[in-house]
Amino acid sequence: MLSLTNIKIVLIETSHTGNMGSAARAMKTMGLSQLCLVNPIIKPDSQSISLAAGASDIIKNAQIVSSMQEAIADCELVIGTSARSRHLQWPHLEAYESGDKIINEVQQGHKVALVFGRERVGLTNDELQKCHYHVSIPANPDYSSLNLAMSVQVLCYEIRRAMLLRIDHPKQPIEENAYPKDIDLERFYQHLEQCLIKTGFINIHHPGQIMSRLRRLFTRARIEQQELNILRGILTSIDKQQ
Amino acid sequence: MLSLTNIKIVLIETSHTGNMGSAARAMKTMGLSQLCLVNPIIKPDSQSISLAAGASDIIKNAQIVSSMQEAIADCELVIGTSARSRHLQWPHLEAYESGDKIINEVQQGHKVALVFGRERVGLTNDELQKCHYHVSIPANPDYSSLNLAMSVQVLCYEIRRAMLLRIDHPKQPIEENAYPKDIDLERFYQHLEQCLIKTGFINIHHPGQIMSRLRRLFTRARIEQQELNILRGILTSIDKQQ
């Protein structure tokens, strides 16, 4: 069954009431309902709810959390929006590819987070590195600043388009390997860090960039569940040696 | 050469300043620049220009006309936006097909009008019947009201996507037959009406629905230039008989 409730739209530090309402409306026109607000600068109060017009239910039911980590904890796939021009080497999706990718995951029962950054500055590099893919909307190089709600509209439109295509032309989801939830990856990173501290590879007083580099590597590679099991097994075996 | 300047976004009787500005921004992010306002309820004044932020040039340069007829006079292809649910039998494009259709025409040097209706009530049936195609954005049946600027954003995005695809994978435009401009079609309809009045088929005092039915038929069929020449020839031959 194809349901869009496993797709979460994550807005980080939204600062304009109107944008929150317009984003909620954009989601609802495309049939999406799960909104998660990370540290909203404006509160989803009565004003933003009234600006959301017929989509106020989405704002009322929004999950509010204090970190991106928390927002994506239960998700197997995390996609972050980013202007094309960033020079970060990272797995990339065009907007028109993202819908199919997301629907394919949803069909396998996975939860997906689609993450939008702040109105002016987007996502930080740190946040982008928590994403398995970056998605960009092709824009006029001379005037590329789609506003937040417009970006939500276009990407939710692509999700709906991919869903309708899947309904019209049913196909089995492409069998991908099982992927761990973000929260399980976090447990692995903690385990890894403790282990490397114990082995002395990481100096707890001067940890340096080691963990963030390892995170980058594993996120980009999108660790499969089975691989995670192996890695955890390795760590446990190291633990036992000591 | 692929240039988007042959594509005209036509907004009919826009009534909110904010919508005009947002529509202009949406166009510009996707590289479109030609805006035509038909009987705008709000004037493109300093307020709407300031709301358009970096896209104020588009509002300043907008063509302002008093009828849809005038807006589309120089266009070979006219596409009107419409909710899917209308029960008008008419050639229909899905949003994702419309970009390719439009770019294909542009590649042949044709002018294209993409027409958006009033905020609340959209296009009238009369206006829809002036269009060769209707295009709709797939939406949540329980909440299908995309606002004006959001619709402009999605369809302009599809145009840009189709353009980039054409650049990445060059192909010859699908050779379509030449099509007359709308203004030439109008001349034909006038000629036809005069002719049918002269033959007595149309009673000038009780003209009934004949002309609007003929217009519907020919618009739906999208008369080719050569066919138009033939039809005009027929009318002239009838004129001479009398």
Side-chain angles (χ1 to χ4, degrees):
Chain A
M1 246 308 288
L2 264 175
S3 156
L4 302 181
T5 52
N6 271 353
I7 304 168
K8 193 187 281 195
I9 300 296
V10 178
L11 305 184
I12 297 198
E13 295 184 7
T14 307
S15 56
H16 295 298
T17 312
N19 289 339
M20 196 182 279
S22 299
R25 284 203 302 276
M27 287 171 60
K28 191 162 178 178
T29 59
M30 296 296 123
L32 279 86
S33 57
Q34 305 302 307
L35 176 63
C36 178
L37 304 168
V38 178
N39 281 331
I41 307 291
I42 46 128
K43 298 301 162 202
D45 54 12
S46 56
Q47 196 197 353
S48 55
I49 287 172
S50 81
L51 276 169
S56 55
D57 52 326
I58 290 185
I59 297 211
K60 277 184 206 154
N61 298 329
Q63 184 191 2
I64 301 176
V65 299
S66 57
S67 70
M68 172 166 161
Q69 204 66 61
E70 213 177 319
I72 65 176
D74 62 345
C75 295
E76 280 93 351
L77 175 67
V78 181
I79 299 179
T81 54
S82 159
R84 191 73 170 99
S85 58
R86 289 194 190 249
H87 295 298
L88 195 62
Q89 288 289 322
W90 212 261
H92 183 268
L93 296 170
E94 294 295 337
Y96 73 90
E97 300 168 314
S98 63
D100 194 58
K101 181 84 191 161
I102 290 170
I103 292 298
N104 193 55
E105 296 276 328
V106 167
Q107 252 191 320
Q108 296 171 80
H110 296 170
K111 280 207 167 196
V112 180
L114 184 56
V115 186
F116 295 81
R118 297 148 196 84
E119 281 98 334
R120 282 188 181 275
V121 293
L123 294 170
T124 63
N125 279 343
D126 198 49
E127 288 158 352
L128 282 168
Q129 290 182 13
K130 291 194 202 304
C131 302
H132 301 108
Y133 292 90
H134 299 163
V135 61
S136 62
I137 297 173
N140 178 358
D142 298 328
Y143 186 78
S144 60
S145 58
L146 268 82
N147 76 29
L148 177 63
M150 292 296 190
S151 305
V152 173
Q153 183 74 66
V154 169
L155 293 180
C156 290
Y157 157 76
E158 282 292 7
I159 291 171
R160 185 166 196 86
R161 183 167 83 85
M163 178 189 77
L164 295 176
L165 203 66
R166 210 53 83 107
I167 291 172
D168 289 348
H169 307 281
K171 64 174 177 180
Q172 287 303 309
I174 297 159
E175 265 309 327
E176 289 186 352
N177 300 306
Y179 292 104
K181 293 187 189 304
D182 190 78
I183 197 166
D184 295 323
L185 286 170
E186 281 305 311
R187 290 191 187 114
F188 159 66
Y189 289 127
Q190 285 165 19
H191 192 176
L192 177 62
E193 187 170 18
Q194 286 158 10
C195 186
L196 295 182
I197 289 169
K198 277 193 213 154
T199 65
F201 185 77
I202 290 181
N203 178 337
I204 198 161
H205 302 296
H206 302 92
Q209 295 288 305
I210 294 165
M211 279 312 297
S212 62
R213 294 200 173 194
L214 289 170
R215 276 174 180 267
R216 255 191 86 180
L217 167 70
F218 286 126
T219 306
R220 218 173 51 234
R222 200 176 177 199
I223 302 184
E224 295 169 9
Q225 183 62 55
Q226 238 175 359
E227 293 164 348
L228 187 67
N229 298 345
I230 294 168
L231 293 169
R232 289 295 295 261
I234 293 171
L235 295 180
T236 305
S237 71
I238 297 169
D239 286 344
K240 281 181 184 159
Q241 275 199 323
Q242 294 167 333
Chain B
M1 247 306 288
L2 264 175
S3 156
L4 302 180
T5 51
N6 271 351
I7 304 169
K8 193 188 282 194
I9 300 295
V10 179
L11 305 184
I12 298 198
E13 296 183 7
T14 307
S15 56
H16 295 298
T17 312
N19 288 339
M20 196 181 279
S22 300
R25 285 203 302 276
M27 287 171 60
K28 192 162 178 177
T29 59
M30 296 295 122
L32 280 87
S33 58
Q34 305 302 307
L35 176 62
C36 178
L37 304 168
V38 178
N39 281 330
I41 307 293
I42 46 127
K43 299 301 162 201
D45 54 11
S46 57
Q47 197 197 352
S48 54
I49 287 171
S50 82
L51 277 168
S56 55
D57 53 327
I58 290 185
I59 297 212
K60 278 183 204 153
N61 298 329
Q63 183 191 5
I64 301 177
V65 299
S66 59
S67 70
M68 172 167 163
Q69 202 68 60
E70 213 177 320
I72 64 176
D74 61 346
C75 295
E76 280 95 350
L77 176 67
V78 181
I79 299 180
T81 54
S82 159
R84 190 74 169 101
S85 59
R86 288 193 191 248
H87 294 298
L88 196 61
Q89 289 290 321
W90 210 263
H92 183 267
L93 295 170
E94 293 296 337
Y96 72 90
E97 300 169 315
S98 63
D100 194 59
K101 181 85 192 162
I102 290 170
I103 292 297
N104 194 56
E105 297 275 328
V106 167
Q107 253 190 318
Q108 296 171 78
H110 295 171
K111 280 207 165 196
V112 180
L114 184 55
V115 186
F116 295 82
R118 297 150 194 84
E119 281 99 334
R120 281 187 181 277
V121 293
L123 295 170
T124 63
N125 278 344
D126 199 47
E127 287 158 353
L128 283 168
Q129 289 182 11
K130 292 195 202 305
C131 302
H132 301 110
Y133 292 91
H134 298 163
V135 61
S136 62
I137 297 172
N140 178 358
D142 298 329
Y143 185 77
S144 59
S145 57
L146 269 81
N147 76 28
L148 177 63
M150 292 295 190
S151 305
V152 172
Q153 183 74 66
V154 169
L155 293 181
C156 291
Y157 158 76
E158 283 291 7
I159 291 171
R160 185 165 197 85
R161 184 168 82 85
M163 179 190 75
L164 296 176
L165 204 66
R166 209 52 85 107
I167 292 171
D168 288 347
H169 307 282
K171 65 172 178 179
Q172 287 302 310
I174 296 159
E175 266 307 330
E176 288 187 352
N177 300 306
Y179 292 105
K181 294 187 188 305
D182 190 76
I183 198 167
D184 295 323
L185 286 170
E186 280 305 310
R187 290 189 187 114
F188 159 66
Y189 290 128
Q190 284 164 20
H191 192 174
L192 178 62
E193 187 170 18
Q194 285 157 11
C195 187
L196 295 182
I197 288 169
K198 278 194 210 152
T199 65
F201 185 76
I202 291 182
N203 178 337
I204 199 164
H205 301 298
H206 302 92
Q209 294 289 306
I210 294 164
M211 279 312 298
S212 62
R213 292 200 175 194
L214 290 171
R215 276 173 180 266
R216 254 190 87 180
L217 167 71
F218 286 125
T219 307
R220 218 173 50 235
R222 200 178 176 197
I223 302 183
E224 295 168 10
Q225 183 62 53
Q226 238 174 0
E227 293 164 348
L228 187 67
N229 298 345
I230 294 167
L231 293 169
R232 289 297 293 263
I234 293 172
L235 294 180
T236 305
S237 71
I238 297 170
D239 285 343
K240 282 181 182 158
Q241 274 199 324
Q242 292 168 336

